[in-house]
Amino acid sequence: MTLQDRHVAVYITGGIAVYKAASVVRGLMKQGAQVRVAMTAAATEFVTPLTFATLTKQPVITDLFRADNTAYVPHIELADWTELAVVVPATANSLAKLATGIADDVVTSALLATTAPVILVPAMNEHMWTAAATQRNLKLLQGDGRIIMEPATGLLAEGYAGHGRLPEPAQIVAFVQTYWAKVTGPLVGRRFLVTAGGTKERIDPVRFISNDSSGKMGYALAAAAADQGATVTLVSTVALPTPAGVTVVSVSDAREMLAAIQTHFADLDVLIMAAAIADFRPAQVADQKIKKTVDNDEMTLALVKNPDVLQTLAQTKKQQLMVGFAAETQNLLANAQQKLTKKRLDMLIANDVARADSGFGVDTNQVTVLQPGHAPEQLPTLAKTVLAKRLIEMITEKLK
Ligand SMILES: Cc1cc2nc3c(=O)[nH]c(=O)nc-3n(C[C@H](O)[C@H](O)[C@H](O)COP(=O)(O)O)c2cc1C
């Protein structure tokens, strides 16, 4: 967990979305962060400090002059303790004060004294958000190196839809985590490309040949790499929720997938091929839907071989660490070992897809990891998200 034991100061200012800040605090704590809270007077009009004191088991600072903790200068003590500050929700008023350096309450004073990175999560009425003054202040804050999370669009407290809504707490926690990983993670500066899903090989405009790959393993790997600070491109044939901090490139068939990888390949540190790429595609793609003809009981579909993606890339391989997956239903290890050698892979994840708890569609996987010059390492059945973290740790070790 990237936020484990990190000192995160959460500053709460007075907007209607204050109630969501409680979930953000809990979410950050679930990620292992130590959280301390300070609130403006306006924020305490919406939710009492007791809520945050109870959640964090820490006193909440609300008053510059009458703090009930023992620190001599509480706002400076909080600022010096902070490794990462998050202002959620950030009101238009507090943004304006922060932009100009006004420090007339505990929140603005502590933030002015904070040398740690500051993430601002604004939330306000759409017209307050688009107001020239607010936009000017946001530019100033960005220029000062503050990180701003864009508000969401949706139903506002006023009862109409608009831009300015606080993003959901889980999204805010993911944003904070991704930011922190991008600054401090062991994979900062490393470029990963992960492929996910089964390719769709067109027969006609409404039909295709594909396979059972759900893309879950690839998405979990992309998320785990981003969580450690890597710059991650995910080349995908499926539309699962985009993991925080990952750039998705959507493709459909094997040739599109190869082209998308080739665009990035020269600069990559790691390529993880978790997609199930079809070996063959229809020789002809019909322009129109193929009709059922009454007198024909059989139909023959001619297939041609798709390019072998790994072998094609291996020809221009330089620094790239190449990780493949082998989905097999029989002779798992023998077939996987052969693929490892033949395709000059640095790591191969062998996956027995005939098992009910492993492979396509399910949330768990049982794999054996093969590496040149190493004995095969069999891992227990794990949730794909947990397995992804383990594999990214192994890849991180290999990059050292
Ligand atoms: C019911 C209510 C809801 C409000 N919601 C917001 C809001 O979502 N965003 C905002 O910027 N201001 C909002 N305000 C206005 C702020 O509370 C006001 O500007 C206040 O001075 C902010 O103080 P602070 O920045 O010190 O917390 C709201 C005010 C009221 C009465």
Side-chain angles (χ1 to χ4, degrees):
M1 279 192 291
T2 48
L3 290 174
Q4 185 68 46
D5 296 328
R6 299 281 60 87
H7 291 182
V8 182
V10 174
Y11 292 93
I12 301 172
T13 67
I16 186 62
V18 167
Y19 72 98
K20 288 190 184 171
S23 300
V24 175
V25 165
R26 275 202 50 87
L28 293 169
M29 292 175 69
K30 272 196 192 152
Q31 294 304 319
Q34 292 184 34
V35 178
R36 286 171 59 181
V37 171
M39 300 171 78
T40 62
T44 65
E45 295 286 334
F46 292 88
V47 174
T48 68
L50 180 66
T51 302
F52 298 100
T54 309
L55 288 175
T56 59
K57 299 184 179 65
Q58 295 287 331
V60 172
I61 311 176
T62 56
D63 193 321
L64 200 49
F65 300 105
R66 273 175 290 280
D68 57 2
N69 72 15
T70 52
Y72 178 52
V73 186
H75 64 287
I76 300 296
E77 196 269 336
L78 179 60
D80 289 347
W81 172 88
T82 301
E83 291 176 287
L84 179 62
V86 184
V87 187
V88 56
T91 58
N93 175 60
S94 284
L95 291 177
K97 290 204 264 178
L98 293 171
T100 48
I102 291 174
D104 64 351
D105 62 16
V106 73
V107 166
T108 47
S109 300
L111 284 166
L112 193 61
T114 296
T115 53
V118 176
I119 297 176
L120 303 165
V121 193
M124 63 198 69
N125 170 271
E126 182 170 51
H127 305 303
M128 288 174 89
W129 173 255
T130 51
T134 303
Q135 290 302 314
R136 194 165 55 237
N137 290 330
L138 287 164
K139 281 205 184 80
L140 284 173
L141 288 161
Q142 259 165 341
D144 289 345
R146 304 311 198 200
I147 300 100
I148 294 157
M149 184 176 184
E150 183 71 20
T153 301
L155 190 65
L156 301 172
E158 296 79 358
Y160 55 86
H163 195 60
R165 211 179 124 86
L166 193 81
E168 289 311 312
Q171 290 173 310
I172 298 171
V173 173
F175 184 91
V176 172
Q177 237 181 321
T178 306
Y179 169 76
W180 189 249
K182 289 261 177 273
V183 180
T184 62
L187 293 176
V188 170
R190 298 292 195 173
R191 288 177 193 280
F192 276 56
L193 189 147
V194 183
T195 63
T199 60
K200 292 176 180 170
E201 309 298 330
R202 281 271 149 221
I203 299 170
D204 68 17
V206 296
R207 302 185 182 94
F208 54 79
I209 301 173
S210 192
N211 56 63
D212 283 327
S213 172
S214 64
K216 285 180 183 172
M217 194 64 228
Y219 274 69
L221 284 159
D227 194 45
Q228 298 300 307
T231 303
V232 184
T233 304
L234 179 61
V235 178
S236 169
T237 63
V238 294
L240 296 177
T242 302
V246 171
T247 307
V248 175
V249 177
S250 294
V251 295
S252 188
D253 63 27
R255 287 175 299 170
E256 278 176 27
M257 186 165 271
L258 174 60
I261 302 168
Q262 279 175 321
T263 309
H264 295 86
F265 190 66
D267 296 328
L268 291 183
D269 293 293
V270 179
L271 172 69
I272 305 178
M273 294 287 294
I277 300 173
D279 294 327
F280 291 91
R281 67 176 185 276
Q284 304 285 338
V285 183
D287 290 339
Q288 304 297 332
K289 183 182 168 195
I290 300 170
K291 289 283 183 202
K292 179 170 72 174
T293 45
V294 188
D295 40 346
N296 258 9
D297 283 342
E298 284 182 17
M299 176 191 167
T300 305
L301 195 60
L303 300 178
V304 292
K305 227 179 190 164
N306 265 330
D308 185 317
V309 173
L310 280 174
Q311 233 150 25
T312 309
L313 295 168
Q315 288 162 13
T316 54
K317 172 177 151 95
K318 289 197 177 83
Q319 78 285 352
Q320 301 87 346
L321 202 118
M322 286 175 51
V323 181
F325 273 73
E328 302 285 350
T329 54
Q330 56 184 348
N331 302 333
L332 177 67
L333 280 188
N335 285 337
Q337 196 68 53
Q338 207 183 10
K339 186 170 174 180
L340 179 77
T341 316
K342 192 168 155 215
K343 307 214 167 170
R344 293 179 50 213
L345 293 171
D346 300 285
M347 191 184 276
L348 186 92
I349 321 300
N351 194 346
D352 184 350
V353 290
R355 290 171 51 136
D357 63 351
S358 193
F360 294 145
V362 292
D363 288 327
T364 52
N365 230 356
Q366 194 282 308
V367 303
T368 302
V369 179
L370 283 82
Q371 301 184 57
H374 287 67
E377 187 177 343
Q378 191 176 357
L379 301 181
T381 302
L382 296 168
K384 282 181 178 170
T385 47
V386 178
L387 173 62
K389 281 186 186 146
R390 281 280 285 276
L391 295 174
I392 293 298
E393 274 167 22
M394 291 169 97
I395 292 167
T396 306
E397 274 306 306
K398 250 182 130 54
L399 285 171
K400 278 180 186 165

